[in-house]
Amino acid sequence: MMTLAIVSNPVSIFLIVLVIILLAPVFLNKLHVPHIIGMIAAGVLVGPYGFNILDRDSSFEVFGQVGLLYLMFLAGLEIDMYRLKLNLKRGFVFGLLTFLIPSALGLLTSRYIMNLDWITSALLAAMYASHTLISYPVVARFGITKSPAVLISIVGTIMAVVGGLMTIAVAVNIHSVGEFQLSALGTLIGKSLLYLLGVVYIYPRLTRWFFKSYSDHVTQFVFILAMVFMSAQIARFIGLEAVLGAFLGGLVLNRYVPSGSALMSRIEFVGNALFIPYFLIGVGMMINVSVIMSQGTLSVAGIMLAVALVSKWLPAYITQKIYSMDRYSRRVIFGLTTAHTAVALAVVTIGYQMTNADGSHMIGETILNGTILVILVTCAIAPLVTSPAAAKIKIKMVDSGEDAAQEENHRKGNTLIPIANPTTAYPLVELALMMQPSDDYKRDSLYALHVRNDNSLSSKAIGRNALDIAMQVAGTVGVNLTPIERYDLNIVTGVINVIEERDINTVILGMHRKTTVIDSFFGSKVEGLLKATNKMLVISRCYIPVNTITRIVVYVPEKAQFETGFRRWVTALGNLARQLSCKILFCCNAELNQYITAVISQQQLAIRLGFIEMQDRDDFILLSNKIQDDDLFVYVSARANSVSYSADMVEVPTFLQKYFTHNNLMVIYPEQFGEEPSVFSFSDPMASDITLAPVPMLVKLGGWWRKLTGAKSDKQRDIDI
C-alpha cells in the first residue's frame, strides 16, 4: 500500500517542480546527459516509487496531458515544409523503410517472444517505428544540416511519426470497440479524411484573418494554443488520439509561425520552460524503481533495445545502398533516427492509461520501465554515433571546397533600423530579423537608431520607448540588438553619421506616408539618404502582418546582376521567403534568371522559387493587375548613373503611388561602391566593361520572337495564381 506523499501543499509542489526544471539542466550539462533523461530521473526520485516527496495528483495529470500535446504540437510546428517537398522522393523511400521494418519487427517480437496481445504489440510497433531527431543539434553544430543524409532523415522522421501516430489511433479505436471491424475502420478513415480536410481548409483562412484583425502578441499566442487544442479535441471526439490532432495542428499552423519570429520564441519558451518538463517529470513518477531492477524487466528491456537498434540500423543501411552513399552518411542517418523520445513516451503513457477487462493496465509497469530504459540508451547512443560521422562529412565538405565557398557567401555585415516612433518599431525589427540567415554566426549585427533634433522630454520619451520595443522584439528571439539614441541636426544627417561610424551595409526603414499634394512619394528623408550614401536601402510598407504574406513578387531591372549589392539583396529576400514559407517570384529577363538561381543555390536557401519573364516596360505595367492583397510586391530600383539605372525609373515613384497605393510594398536600392552618388560624372566607374557583357544570341532571338508573335513563356503563368 502506497503511503501519503511528504509534500501536499500546492505552493510547495509547484516550487519543487520549478527547482527541478531549474537545476536538472545545470547538472546534466556537465555530464553530457540529455535534459529529457534528467527530467524523467528527477520524477523517479521525487515520485511515489522513489523518496515519495510528491504524489502524482491531478495537477500532474492536467499539466502532463498538456505537455504531451505541446510536445507533439512543437514537433509539427518546427518541421521545414519546403524541405519535406524538396526531398520527398528519397525521403519517402527511407520513410517507408524506417516505418515498416521497425513496425514488422516490433509487432512480431512483441506478439511471439514477449507474448503480448495484438493491440499492445501494435502500440509497441508504433513506438519502435517512430523516433525523434534528438541528435539534430550535433549536425547543426558541424554545419551539415543541408547534406543529403540529414535531409533524408528529416523527411523519414515525418513519415515515421505520422505512421506511428496513425497506428496508435487504429489500436486505440480497436480497443474501444472490442474487435477489429472493417466497417468501423472504414468509418474511422472517413472521419479522419473529413477532419483532415476541414483542418487544412479552415485553419489557414481563420488564422490569416485573426492575425490581420488582432495584432496583440499575447492574443495571437493564446489563439494559436486554442487552435491546437481544438484540433486535438476534435481528433479525440472522432476516435483518433489527441496527440495526432496536436501534431496536425502544428503542421497546418507551421506556415504562420516563422521560425525566427517572436511568436515562435514565445511558443517554444512556454513549452520548454513549463508544460513539457511537467510532462516528463510526471512520466518519471510512474516508474517503479524496484520493478525496473527485477530480472523480468531487464530481460524485456534487452529484447526491446535490440529490436529498437536493429530496426533503425537496417533502414539506414538499405538507404545507403540504394542511393550509393558513403558509410558516414549511413551513420548520420542511423544516429539521427535511432533515438526514441516523444512518441515513445506518448505510446507508453496512452497504453498505461488504457485498461483491460480485468482492470489491469494494457502496458504494465514492466514494459513501461523497459521503454524508459530504451529511451535512456537510444538517447545516449544517438549523439555518440552522429558526432564522429558528422565530423567526417564536414571534413569532406572542406576538402572539396564546398564549405569554403559557403563561408565566403555568408559574410556578415551590419544592419541599421532607423525608428521614428514606437508604432513602427515592432514591424521594422521583425522584418529585419526575417531577412537574416537562420544561423546566428551568419547574422548581421543589428542596430536600432532614433534621431531627434530637440531635447524636449516628450521627444526623449518617444525615442527611448521606440528603442525599448525594438530591443524587446530582438530579445524575444535571442538576437542582440544595439540601441542608438542620437541628437543631430536632422534625421538624414544622424543616419548618415551612424552609417559611417558603425560601418553599416544595409538600412531598413519604413516608407514615407505622402501627406500633401506637393510631397514626393518617398519623401525628403529617403531622397536625402539616397544621395548621401551608397549602402543598400530597404524601404518597406506592409498593411498586414508580415507572417500572413502568401507570396513575394519581385520586379528586377535589366543588368541588376552587375550591381555590387546584387548578392546581398537576393539573399535577404530569399531569407524572408524561407521564414514565411511562401513562394517568391522574380520578374526579370532570362539572363537575370540564371544569376538569381545561382545565388539562391550557393546560399542553399530552401525556398519555392519561380520566374516570370519580363522583356519590356509593358510587362511591368501589367503586373499591377496581378498583385493581390496578401502579396508583397518588391521593386528593385537603382540610383542614377548606376549600371542598372534606366530613364524609365524616373516615373516609377509616380507609378507605384498610382497603382500600388493599397498593396504591401518594398523598394530596394542595392549597395554600390565607387564615388558618392551626389558627385555627378559622365561616366560611372562601376560600369567599365561589364555593361558591354554580351547577351547570348539565343536569348536575343527568343525575345525578338516573343515580341513578333505576342507569345509568352510558360513561367509567366505563375503570376496568374
Side-chain angles (χ1 to χ4, degrees):
M1 184 175 178
M2 204 173 295
T3 59
L4 294 176
I6 298 175
V7 178
S8 58
N9 182 272
V11 177
S12 301
I13 292 174
F14 197 72
L15 174 61
I16 292 174
V17 171
L18 291 180
V19 170
I20 293 174
I21 297 174
L22 175 65
L23 296 182
V26 175
F27 292 107
L28 294 174
N29 282 338
K30 299 179 179 179
L31 301 175
H32 303 287
V33 177
H35 296 174
I36 185 173
I37 303 301
M39 296 297 174
I40 295 174
V44 174
L45 294 176
V46 301
Y49 299 108
F51 294 104
N52 198 25
I53 299 175
L54 301 179
D55 190 15
R56 200 174 190 278
D57 57 9
S58 59
S59 66
F60 284 96
E61 294 289 344
V62 173
F63 279 92
Q65 183 66 22
V66 172
L68 175 59
L69 298 180
Y70 214 104
L71 192 66
M72 301 312 301
F73 162 56
L74 284 179
L77 196 64
E78 293 176 348
I79 287 175
D80 191 328
M81 300 301 293
Y82 178 76
R83 296 195 184 281
L84 171 63
K85 299 175 183 178
L86 195 65
N87 299 273
L88 197 58
K89 184 177 180 180
R90 291 188 295 178
F92 182 78
V93 173
F94 174 69
L96 285 177
L97 293 173
T98 198
F99 171 71
L100 294 177
I101 293 177
S103 295
L105 288 178
L107 187 67
L108 295 176
T109 54
S110 299
R111 182 70 183 93
Y112 295 107
I113 297 180
M114 299 171 62
N115 298 319
L116 302 174
D117 59 79
W118 285 109
I119 298 179
T120 307
S121 300
L123 288 175
L124 290 181
M127 185 270 291
Y128 291 126
S130 60
H131 56 263
T132 304
L133 298 173
I134 196 171
S135 56
Y136 186 82
V138 175
V139 297
R141 188 174 68 249
F142 281 101
I144 63 167
T145 55
K146 307 299 189 301
S147 65
V150 177
L151 298 179
I152 290 174
S153 300
I154 292 174
V155 179
T157 298
I158 297 170
M159 294 188 60
V161 170
V162 172
L165 292 177
M166 288 301 298
T167 303
I168 295 172
V170 173
V172 172
N173 181 261
I174 293 174
H175 178 264
S176 61
V177 173
E179 61 179 350
F180 178 77
Q181 297 177 346
L182 187 60
S183 59
L185 181 60
T187 303
L188 177 63
I189 294 175
K191 290 180 179 179
S192 302
L193 290 176
L194 290 176
Y195 161 68
L196 176 63
L197 293 175
V199 172
V200 171
Y201 181 81
I202 296 174
Y203 267 43
R205 289 160 177 79
L206 185 59
T207 303
R208 186 180 294 115
W209 168 82
F210 190 89
F211 279 11
K212 289 181 181 178
S213 304
Y214 301 95
S215 58
D216 181 71
H217 310 301
V218 175
T219 306
Q220 291 182 353
F221 172 77
V222 175
F223 170 80
I224 289 292
L225 292 190
M227 296 290 282
V228 170
F229 282 89
M230 183 185 299
S231 176
Q233 181 60 36
I234 295 175
R236 185 176 181 182
F237 177 76
I238 65 175
L240 298 174
E241 188 56 42
V243 290
L244 181 59
F247 183 75
L248 178 61
L251 283 177
V252 175
L253 295 174
N254 182 297
R255 160 72 179 79
Y256 302 97
V257 187
S259 59
S261 66
L263 180 59
M264 183 66 172
S265 297
R266 292 186 179 96
I267 292 173
E268 290 181 333
F269 173 78
V270 172
N272 295 328
L274 186 61
F275 290 130
I276 295 177
Y278 230 111
F279 163 66
L280 296 175
I281 293 172
V283 170
M285 296 175 71
M286 295 189 299
I287 299 175
N288 190 333
V289 180
S290 59
V291 174
I292 203 172
M293 298 305 296
S294 64
Q295 183 70 24
T297 299
L298 292 178
S299 60
V300 168
I303 296 173
M304 295 176 66
L305 183 60
V307 173
L309 294 176
V310 172
S311 64
K312 287 300 178 181
W313 183 85
L314 285 175
Y317 177 79
I318 296 173
T319 302
Q320 175 207 357
K321 296 302 181 182
I322 292 176
Y323 296 110
S324 302
M325 306 171 75
D326 56 36
R327 63 180 184 276
Y328 303 117
S329 297
R330 181 193 67 217
R331 293 174 186 174
V332 166
I333 295 175
F334 172 66
L336 285 171
T337 60
T338 192
H340 295 73
T341 55
V343 179
L345 291 175
V347 169
V348 296
T349 303
I350 293 168
Y352 189 80
Q353 294 171 350
M354 294 168 60
T355 56
N356 297 312
D358 58 357
S360 61
H361 297 288
M362 178 167 288
I363 291 183
E365 291 183 347
T366 301
I367 299 178
L368 172 65
N369 291 285
T371 304
I372 298 301
L373 284 178
V374 170
I375 294 173
L376 175 64
V377 175
T378 56
C379 287
I381 289 176
L384 296 177
V385 173
T386 307
S387 184
K392 294 293 185 181
I393 293 178
K394 180 68 174 182
I395 292 173
K396 291 182 64 176
M397 293 173 61
V398 173
D399 291 341
S400 64
E402 178 183 354
D403 190 69
Q406 293 178 18
E407 294 298 326
E408 177 65 20
N409 294 332
H410 288 305
R411 288 178 294 179
K412 292 181 61 175
N414 298 315
T415 296
L416 179 66
I417 313 167
I419 300 173
N421 55 72
T423 305
T424 60
Y426 189 97
L428 281 178
V429 175
E430 186 178 43
L431 178 65
L433 291 171
M434 291 188 181
M435 297 178 76
Q436 299 294 316
S438 57
D439 298 329
D440 291 338
Y441 74 94
K442 300 174 185 175
R443 289 180 180 270
D444 287 358
S445 299
L446 298 181
Y447 299 89
L449 170 67
H450 178 79
V451 181
R452 56 183 174 83
N453 55 8
D454 66 82
N455 281 322
S456 63
L457 294 178
S458 60
S459 178
K460 292 180 179 179
I462 291 174
R464 290 170 183 169
N465 190 18
L467 294 176
D468 287 343
I469 294 175
M471 292 181 63
Q472 290 173 7
V473 176
T476 304
V477 297
V479 175
N480 292 326
L481 181 143
T482 304
I484 303 174
E485 185 179 5
R486 189 180 187 91
Y487 178 86
D488 219 315
L489 181 64
N490 55 57
I491 294 177
V492 175
T493 303
V495 173
I496 293 301
N497 288 335
V498 173
I499 289 175
E500 296 299 328
E501 294 168 0
R502 304 282 182 165
D503 193 21
I504 300 297
N505 304 97
T506 304
V507 180
I508 301 177
L509 64 161
M511 187 167 289
H512 166 74
R513 301 295 175 91
K514 188 175 181 180
T515 56
T516 63
V517 177
I518 61 174
D519 197 3
S520 63
F521 177 71
F522 288 122
S524 58
K525 298 181 180 65
V526 173
E527 292 175 351
L529 287 175
L530 288 172
K531 293 178 181 179
T533 180
N534 289 314
K535 305 303 181 181
M536 184 171 86
L537 293 187
V538 179
I539 310 160
S540 171
R541 181 192 68 198
C542 284
Y543 293 115
I544 62 176
V546 67
N547 60 331
T548 61
I549 290 172
T550 57
R551 189 178 57 167
I552 301 175
V553 182
V554 188
Y555 177 80
V556 189
E558 293 184 4
K559 302 179 182 179
Q561 69 271 29
F562 300 127
E563 300 288 359
T564 306
F566 173 73
R567 181 188 298 274
R568 190 168 183 84
W569 70 256
V570 172
T571 303
L573 291 180
N575 287 324
L576 180 61
R578 176 182 53 81
Q579 286 282 353
L580 299 178
S581 299
C582 67
K583 187 172 186 178
I584 182 168
L585 297 173
F586 289 94
C587 307
C588 57
N589 58 36
E591 186 180 9
L592 262 167
N593 182 339
Q594 302 173 6
Y595 285 94
I596 293 174
T597 303
V599 173
I600 297 295
S601 177
Q602 289 172 359
Q603 300 293 340
Q604 295 188 339
L605 295 171
I607 57 176
R608 290 183 290 157
L609 188 64
F611 290 92
I612 298 93
E613 190 167 340
M614 292 281 167
Q615 294 296 330
D616 49 39
R617 179 173 172 78
D618 292 338
D619 292 334
F620 170 61
I621 294 175
L622 292 175
L623 271 178
S624 60
N625 298 322
K626 307 297 183 181
I627 304 302
Q628 304 169 4
D629 293 338
D630 291 335
D631 291 341
L632 172 63
F633 179 63
V634 181
Y635 181 82
V636 180
S637 189
R639 295 173 174 85
N641 298 326
S642 64
V643 179
S644 59
Y645 181 80
S646 65
D648 294 337
M649 290 184 179
V650 176
E651 303 175 8
V652 168
T654 304
F655 180 80
L656 294 177
Q657 175 64 29
K658 183 177 181 180
Y659 294 102
F660 293 90
T661 303
H662 304 292
N663 295 104
N664 307 303
L665 181 63
M666 179 185 292
V667 180
I668 297 178
Y669 284 87
E671 180 181 1
Q672 295 173 300
F673 293 141
E675 298 295 327
E676 293 291 335
S678 56
V679 180
F680 297 100
S681 64
F682 293 102
S683 62
D684 184 5
M686 288 180 57
S688 177
D689 294 332
I690 57 177
T691 57
L692 303 177
V695 179
M697 182 56 65
L698 289 178
V699 175
K700 287 184 177 180
L701 292 175
W704 292 337
W705 174 254
R706 277 186 289 272
K707 288 183 179 180
L708 290 173
T709 61
K712 294 185 177 182
S713 65
D714 293 336
K715 295 180 180 178
Q716 211 154 4
R717 301 171 187 169
D718 286 341
I719 201 65
D720 295 322
I721 295 174

